[in-house]
Amino acid sequence: MYQVQELTKIYDMGKVKVKALEGVSFTVPDGDMLAIMGRSGSGKSTLLRQMGLLDQPTSGRILLDGREVSRLPERERAKLRLRHLGYVFQEYALLGELTAHQNVYLPGMMLGEADNYRERARELLELVGLGERINHYPKELSGGEQQRVAIARALINRPRVLLADEPCANLDTISSAMVMETLVRLNRELGVTVIFVSHDPDDRKYAQSVLVLSDGRIAQRSGQVK
Amino acid sequence: MSRSFRVASLLAASSIRQGSLGVTLLIILILALVGLNLLFVPGLLGGLVSGANEKVIQTYTADIVVESRRESMLIRDVDRLISRIEAIRGVIAATPRIKLGAELSFDDERTGAVIYGIRPEREKRVFTIHQSLIEGSYLEPGDRDGILLGIQLAGADQPDIELYYRSLRRVHAGDRITVTYASGLEKKYIVRGVFHTEYIQTDLEAFVVEKELRAANPLPPDHAASIHVNIAPNADIRSIAAQIGSLRDDLKILTWEDYAGIVRSMTGSFTVIKAILNVVNLLVAGITIFIVTYIDVVNRRRQIGIQRAIGITPGSITLAYLMRATFYAVTGIIVASLAFKYLVVPLEARYPFHFPFGDVFLRAELWDMLRTALILLSTALAAAFIPVRAVMRVKILDAIWSS
Ligand SMILES: Nc1ncnc2c1ncn2[C@@H]1O[C@H](COP(=O)(O)OP(=O)(O)OP(=O)(O)O)[C@@H](O)[C@H]1O
Ligand SMILES: [Mg+2]
């Protein structure tokens, strides 16, 4: 269970201060598939980064299973990211010098809990439909394929939550549909909580819950999210 | 730890494999040149010192010098002492010398010198002076009219020798020179030969046979000023010196090292030069690795941000860069060592550097190579660490999302 309480994020740019989030509160139950929507600049990415523990909020709290996680030191947050959270970035964020296979198993190697991370990475690549391309480098893959590798990478350590920031922003409709359907399958078949950002109203159809942001505040909510 | 190590190896290996080959070769080339420089100076110094030491031993002192503690400064009962010295295990030969101050003159030139009375057959078994003749021949045992001159005394029409203008300048084998002994006795000798050992102290010496020096001067019989002892290459000089010392209690035993003061002072100044050159060299190596790592880290800010975002620890990422720096440094060291040992040293052996005590040959010593490797490696690691450390301090957010 993810709880966001009175979250405020102000970007301090010296003279200018940008208020990206203001008093945002909501709760995501386990196994939910949540879409965060809103116009450009409404604060979607900012919210996801706070939830993904990639940044620290100006005020407010984030609780993961009741434990306050947003104020932990970076070392602790890195451990949580590695073990419990999978993050898929808006831009393709693969490591260019590693093959698809290596990109996927790297976090598994880092966590080092099981030695079968290579095998598991192969399975995950098959799951996202890239079983044939495991030894390809990112530059040899299309945008959609790269994004699916990124999803496989986010899943290597069996995270409880997958956070995806506009995973289809740079993709055509067919690739987008494949990526979104991959996320849906993960949610349904593996029970992973999926939180994704989108500004395409059409993507509501993949979600069980929807949160709409407007100027850093929640403008509308529906589904299981409270 | 082993996890971090595995992750770091993967990151380091793929960054080297996927990186530009040209850049990699260039970095290795620079480090190899720095390594060569680091090897060259101690190599030269090593060659210099050992070359000088060899000259001192082979032409000036032999391995061990025996002198007298007595007031007369003369060793008595020489013949018996010599046979007892030669009976010691590891001693090859011993030769006694007597000496007298004298003035040498030829035409208008005159110069002071110490004249040694020697036993030619024994001398040849202790010193190599007889192999350094540039004119004429060595003294025969019964030769009462002959004298042997070092080139710094004879001059031999070679104005480029160090002390030519203090020498007799134009003396050659076959010339007659006049010797005025400190006793006032004046005698003419025929110059049998001129030698050039390239060690100045030796090249300032003059030799006549012992019998002649005794005949020309009232010296006590069976006495010597010094005895020079040649020992086997692998013999223990300390132990032999101690054994000679215990033969009689009126002896003063010195080893060649006690005479090598010039070499020591030279070593001192070379150590300073070496230190300065090494600092410059290491700065070059350090700055090279620093720039390479810095540019790399700046170019990969985003990649590093992503690595951190997906949970790769800063320790692993740093370790990956250190491993890469190690790869460059170790490869550079290997290239440098091979080039030094198989290219520079043989080449220099063919065209040696010339010094006042002869040709100097570079030496490739394992210890120097190891030390160079260690120094270069530490420099590379420190230089790589600084920029990586700096980028680890940047917030993940800024690393990934700001240009
Ligand atoms: N790193 C940053 N530094 C300063 N201001 C920022 C930063 N990131 C975002 N902002 C500002 O915060 C506000 C919210 O940005 P955010 O990226 O969260 O919007 P978004 O909803 O994801 O937009 P988009 O749909 O275009 O991705 C914007 O006004 C943006 O300019
Ligand atoms: Mg965004």
Side-chain angles (χ1 to χ4, degrees):
Chain A
M1 200 170 60
Y2 237 120
Q3 287 165 282
V4 174
Q5 298 175 345
E6 288 299 319
L7 205 66
T8 297
K9 176 68 185 181
I10 298 165
Y11 290 111
D12 190 348
M13 316 275 289
K15 277 183 201 156
V16 207
K17 291 194 187 350
V18 182
K19 207 173 227 178
L21 291 175
E22 201 177 351
V24 172
S25 299
F26 61 94
T27 301
V28 189
D30 284 343
D32 196 5
M33 175 111 185
L34 169 69
I36 297 173
M37 319 208 61
R39 292 213 318 273
S40 179
S42 57
K44 306 183 294 294
S45 294
T46 302
L47 176 58
L48 209 69
R49 282 173 207 159
Q50 313 304 311
M51 295 179 74
L53 307 184
L54 295 175
D55 195 12
Q56 288 189 301
T58 311
S59 68
R61 312 198 302 165
I62 296 172
L63 284 76
L64 195 57
D65 295 331
R67 181 184 176 203
E68 153 80 290
V69 290
S70 56
R71 304 263 166 241
L72 291 173
E74 167 57 21
R75 271 175 56 100
E76 294 297 313
R77 289 189 293 149
K79 267 191 207 160
L80 286 172
R81 287 199 299 269
L82 183 65
R83 188 181 291 266
H84 297 298
L85 307 177
Y87 203 97
V88 179
F89 298 87
Q90 182 165 351
E91 322 77 18
Y92 323 126
L94 297 180
L95 302 172
E97 286 160 353
L98 302 181
T99 62
H101 191 216
Q102 291 169 330
N103 262 288
V104 174
Y105 73 62
L106 187 69
M109 193 186 226
M110 186 77 246
L111 186 61
E113 272 193 340
D115 274 338
N116 64 348
Y117 51 82
R118 283 192 176 81
E119 191 45 44
R120 184 167 155 71
R122 198 187 305 268
E123 286 165 17
L124 284 168
L125 281 166
E126 271 162 25
L127 184 77
V128 297
L130 291 169
E132 313 275 274
R133 316 291 300 271
I134 67 168
N135 289 324
H136 288 230
Y137 284 92
K139 61 172 184 286
E140 299 160 356
L141 299 172
S142 76
E145 287 164 343
Q146 288 189 41
Q147 208 53 309
R148 273 140 64 202
V149 174
I151 292 170
R153 179 178 66 188
L155 293 172
I156 186 75
N157 289 331
R158 305 177 196 277
R160 318 235 331 272
V161 184
L162 185 73
L163 300 144
D165 187 357
E166 302 205 44
C168 307
N170 300 307
L171 306 181
D172 59 49
T173 14
I174 299 173
S175 305
S176 296
M178 278 179 79
V179 168
M180 290 313 297
E181 270 150 26
T182 309
L183 293 180
V184 171
R185 272 178 57 208
L186 293 173
N187 177 249
R188 298 225 180 103
E189 294 170 18
L190 303 177
V192 179
T193 306
V194 175
I195 302 172
F196 71 93
V197 169
S198 173
H199 59 240
D200 182 354
D202 242 22
D203 286 345
R204 279 173 183 263
K205 65 173 184 260
Y206 299 110
Q208 294 167 31
S209 314
V210 178
L211 206 65
V212 180
L213 286 184
S214 175
D215 289 335
R217 292 169 179 277
I218 297 178
Q220 192 189 322
R221 60 182 87 196
S222 65
Q224 302 175 28
V225 66
K226 296 198 186 67
Chain B
M1 186 59 215
S2 82
R3 285 179 282 136
S4 298
F5 198 79
R6 267 193 284 179
V7 168
S9 323
L10 176 64
L11 293 176
S14 42
S15 91
I16 293 167
R17 225 180 297 126
Q18 296 290 307
S20 144
L21 182 65
V23 172
T24 303
L25 291 180
L26 196 68
I27 296 164
I28 291 172
L29 180 71
I30 294 173
L31 292 186
L33 289 177
V34 168
L36 263 182
N37 259 330
L38 288 174
L39 285 172
F40 189 80
V41 178
L44 182 65
L45 182 65
L48 211 64
V49 170
S50 76
N53 287 345
E54 231 159 75
K55 275 278 151 68
V56 168
I57 294 169
Q58 290 179 353
T59 72
Y60 193 60
T61 59
D63 295 297
I64 298 171
V65 184
V66 180
E67 289 175 1
S68 172
R69 289 186 188 284
R70 287 142 55 100
E71 216 171 311
S72 67
M73 312 237 302
L74 292 176
I75 305 167
R76 58 175 180 80
D77 204 6
V78 170
D79 288 330
R80 258 197 42 208
L81 181 59
I82 286 204
S83 45
R84 288 177 72 188
I85 289 173
E86 288 188 339
I88 295 172
R89 257 177 85 99
V91 172
I92 293 173
T95 185
R97 284 180 172 185
I98 51 175
K99 62 181 179 184
L100 275 174
E103 191 184 68
L104 315 183
S105 57
F106 180 74
D107 289 351
D108 295 339
E109 304 294 342
R110 36 184 77 233
T111 188
V114 175
I115 298 185
Y116 292 87
I118 60 167
R119 301 184 188 173
E121 290 311 317
R122 288 195 162 276
E123 285 279 317
K124 282 184 190 173
R125 297 176 54 210
V126 174
F127 293 108
T128 60
I129 295 172
H130 60 284
Q131 293 167 1
S132 303
L133 291 170
I134 55 166
E135 289 179 11
S137 57
Y138 201 66
L139 288 176
E140 293 300 325
D143 184 357
R144 298 278 300 268
D145 301 317
I147 189 167
L148 210 57
L149 294 181
I151 190 161
Q152 304 286 357
L153 291 177
D157 282 309
Q158 291 190 28
D160 50 341
I161 59 166
E162 289 82 352
L163 300 177
Y164 179 77
Y165 294 99
R166 288 182 52 199
S167 74
L168 299 176
R169 300 200 189 190
R170 280 177 299 280
V171 171
H172 292 275
D175 286 341
R176 275 173 173 277
I177 62 163
T178 307
V179 174
T180 312
Y181 287 105
S183 60
L185 179 85
E186 198 179 292
K187 190 171 172 184
K188 282 197 186 304
Y189 289 101
I190 301 168
V191 176
R192 296 291 181 210
V194 176
F195 56 85
H196 190 184
T197 62
E198 297 186 313
Y199 184 64
I200 288 188
Q201 304 286 98
T202 307
D203 290 336
L204 278 169
E205 292 178 335
F207 300 107
V208 296
V209 297
E210 185 186 350
K211 278 199 203 84
E212 167 55 20
L213 203 63
R214 283 190 194 286
N217 295 274
L219 292 164
D222 204 19
H223 278 60
S226 58
I227 297 172
H228 301 262
V229 184
N230 180 13
I231 67 170
N234 48 2
D236 176 8
I237 189 165
R238 300 272 145 229
S239 129
I240 293 177
Q243 288 178 62
I244 297 174
S246 66
L247 290 178
R248 268 174 29 191
D249 56 12
D250 62 342
L251 302 177
K252 188 160 91 186
I253 316 294
L254 300 165
T255 66
W256 63 271
E257 281 177 305
D258 302 319
Y259 280 89
I262 320 160
V263 178
R264 266 202 300 274
S265 74
M266 200 170 62
T267 312
S269 26
F270 265 85
T271 309
V272 176
I273 296 172
K274 192 171 94 174
I276 295 170
L277 290 178
N278 281 358
V279 168
V280 173
N281 267 323
L282 289 173
L283 278 177
V284 172
I287 292 170
T288 305
I289 296 263
F290 181 89
I291 291 174
V292 167
T293 312
Y294 181 79
I295 292 176
D296 197 82
V297 160
V298 167
N299 281 333
R300 286 164 194 261
R301 245 168 91 101
R302 183 155 184 273
Q303 296 257 313
I304 293 174
I306 289 164
Q307 288 171 5
R308 288 170 62 197
I310 62 174
I312 308 302
T313 58
S316 308
I317 299 169
T318 309
L319 189 59
Y321 276 94
L322 296 185
M323 281 179 171
R324 211 174 62 151
T326 305
F327 168 78
Y328 291 143
V330 168
T331 315
I333 289 160
I334 291 172
V335 171
S337 303
L338 291 180
F340 186 67
K341 198 166 162 131
Y342 295 106
L343 208 74
V344 178
V345 172
L347 203 68
E348 199 271 341
R350 203 188 280 175
Y351 309 101
F353 302 121
H354 193 76
F355 278 84
F357 38 82
D359 292 340
V360 165
F361 297 99
L362 284 173
R363 287 159 65 107
E365 299 208 39
L366 187 64
W367 164 240
D368 282 329
M369 291 200 180
L370 284 178
R371 201 186 40 194
T372 303
L374 214 67
I375 293 173
L376 199 57
L377 188 60
S378 332
T379 310
L381 289 181
F385 185 70
I386 299 165
V388 176
R389 202 31 213 276
V391 95
M392 289 306 161
R393 293 232 174 97
V394 175
K395 285 202 212 144
I396 295 179
L397 198 67
D398 296 333
I400 301 183
W401 285 288
S402 65
S403 47

